[in-house]
Amino acid sequence: MNTRTRTDQPGWLEIVVGIAAMAVVGFAFPILLSDQIDLTGAGGGAFLACLSGIAGLAGFGAAMLVRRRPLPAFGIRRTTARWLWIGVAGGAVALLAKGVLVPLFMWLTDVPTDTQAGYAAGASGGIWLLIVTAIGLVVLTPIGEEFLFRGVVTTGLLRYGPVIATVGSAVIFALLHGINVVLPAALVVGVITAELRRRSDSVWPGVVVHAFNNSITVIAYAVAPGIAA
């Protein structure tokens, strides 16, 4: 467990600035482009897959520039092979939980279920678009979102204790995915990755969790794009 003082950690200013920057890039930018680019097709889906990771990195970059803390203050530090393998196990647990919670959530609620249809279109749009979509969802998005949500948000909330940091950052992460069928899966991933960030003092085990889950999703979309609905 890290012993740095609270003043070494990011705070609410970094959290707000980071999330705002991510929202501008990830949500507002596609709206502005919607008249010029077909974001519902395969090419648009591959573009959005990459944009989700770029948005996270933009949010992290904006948060980091607020007070210029070193990368280890955000949990961006080397970790051990043991923690990376724990990340793989955490990814498997998250995947199993997703298989139970998403159908249950769909049965209990009437929320949108086609929010990732663009990703599915990108993954099933041919080998090159599959590669681009995979880079976006398996590499860029895990790094970008973990740097922002675990490196900035979880770290910033640790001043209020482990429960607030883990649950609070997971809820913020899930809600920013929207009130839709993805919400319970995002909540589970958020809890697991936040707890791994807290215990390992590194964001990299969470990146592994995130990449593991997204890689299975990309494979599923490539094989059967209809499951996005």
Side-chain angles (χ1 to χ4, degrees):
M1 181 67 183
N2 96 62
T3 56
R4 291 186 297 276
T5 64
R6 289 183 178 183
T7 56
D8 293 330
Q9 298 174 336
W12 278 107
L13 183 58
E14 286 90 345
I15 291 173
V16 172
V17 168
I19 290 176
M22 184 215 72
V24 169
V25 176
F27 302 140
F29 192 49
I31 294 173
L32 294 175
L33 289 178
S34 60
D35 290 336
Q36 286 76 40
I37 302 175
D38 178 13
L39 297 177
T40 62
F47 168 76
L48 289 175
C50 291
L51 188 64
S52 69
I54 293 169
L57 288 170
F60 172 74
M64 188 178 178
L65 288 174
V66 170
R67 279 182 277 209
R68 299 290 187 111
R69 289 180 171 83
L71 289 175
F74 298 93
I76 301 174
R77 57 174 65 245
R78 295 177 64 181
T79 190
T80 64
R82 173 178 173 269
W83 277 112
L84 294 179
W85 281 111
I86 290 174
V88 173
V93 170
L95 196 65
L96 291 173
K98 173 182 175 180
V100 174
L101 294 177
V102 169
L104 179 62
F105 191 62
M106 291 172 64
W107 181 66
L108 292 173
T109 65
D110 184 25
V111 295
T113 60
D114 61 348
T115 56
Q116 296 192 330
Y119 297 160
S124 60
I127 185 62
W128 293 112
L129 288 180
L130 171 60
I131 291 171
V132 172
T133 302
I135 291 172
L137 293 182
V138 182
V139 180
L140 293 177
T141 296
I143 292 174
E145 291 190 347
E146 291 306 310
F147 276 28
L148 175 59
F149 288 101
R150 260 53 72 178
V152 177
V153 181
T154 301
T155 304
L157 293 180
L158 277 171
R159 68 191 62 218
Y160 304 110
V163 174
I164 296 296
T166 298
V167 177
S169 63
V171 169
I172 293 170
F173 176 68
L175 290 177
L176 283 169
H177 280 75
I179 308 298
N180 55 58
V181 71
V182 177
L183 190 146
L187 185 61
V188 169
V189 169
V191 168
I192 292 173
T193 54
E195 187 64 7
L196 287 178
R197 186 267 174 272
R198 184 181 74 83
R199 290 179 178 273
S200 70
D201 200 23
S202 172
V203 301
W204 293 112
V207 171
V208 172
V209 172
H210 212 141
F212 181 93
N213 269 262
N214 284 9
S215 64
I216 300 301
T217 299
V218 169
I219 292 170
Y221 286 168
V223 173
I227 67 170

